[in-house]
Amino acid sequence: MYFPTMPQGGGKGIIEAMSAGVPVLIHENGADRLWSGRDLAYPEALSWRTLKDLNSLIGGFDEVSWKYQSDAARRYFSLYHAPAKFAEMLSLAKDEPILPPLKPYRPDPDIRLHYALSKAQ
């Protein structure tokens, strides 16, 4: 199981984990969607906002969910991030690269407000 670097997403690590079929647990960073790494990960990747959410996810992770997450990670890597696929997408896109679809961004408004207030002080 890979936990992207907090508070930033650890993008290269997410891609490398998926290439090995390692499940990824995404932190929904309240400050910015780029910090969570959500858009690099496979759609089925589990996400958490608070430590309570994280503990709950880890506690519920069993052999079946591990296999499902592992297969989803590897499949998504093959679709969007494998070197040959990446080169193909770049060659097809003349002026703009073809990007994987963005995932829903669900920041916690309380965390976002706390971040904004702490920056203002």
Side-chain angles (χ1 to χ4, degrees):
M1 189 174 307
Y2 176 69
F3 298 86
T5 308
M6 286 180 47
Q8 298 178 354
K12 184 177 178 186
I14 291 172
I15 293 169
E16 289 175 353
M18 290 187 306
S19 76
V22 174
V24 177
L25 287 178
I26 300 291
H27 176 240
E28 295 287 350
N29 191 297
D32 194 308
R33 79 178 296 135
L34 294 176
W35 284 11
S36 72
R38 159 60 67 203
D39 295 318
L40 293 174
Y42 53 103
E44 301 88 348
L46 300 173
S47 64
W48 58 280
R49 294 182 192 153
T50 66
L51 290 177
K52 183 177 178 182
D53 295 342
L54 178 60
N55 285 333
S56 177
L57 284 174
I58 292 172
F61 221 77
D62 60 11
E63 189 175 331
V64 172
S65 56
W66 183 277
K67 172 95 172 90
Y68 176 78
Q69 290 287 317
S70 178
D71 290 347
R74 183 68 188 145
R75 188 171 45 254
Y76 194 76
F77 172 81
S78 296
L79 279 172
Y80 291 107
H81 298 294
K85 188 64 175 178
F86 186 69
E88 177 188 338
M89 287 193 308
L90 288 178
S91 71
L92 291 174
K94 302 299 181 211
D95 297 321
E96 275 186 47
I98 300 167
L99 302 173
L102 294 178
K103 316 308 185 296
Y105 175 54
R106 305 173 303 271
D108 185 334
D110 293 336
I111 292 174
R112 195 164 179 67
L113 179 61
H114 173 75
Y115 179 80
L117 291 174
S118 68
K119 292 296 261 183
Q121 293 176 355

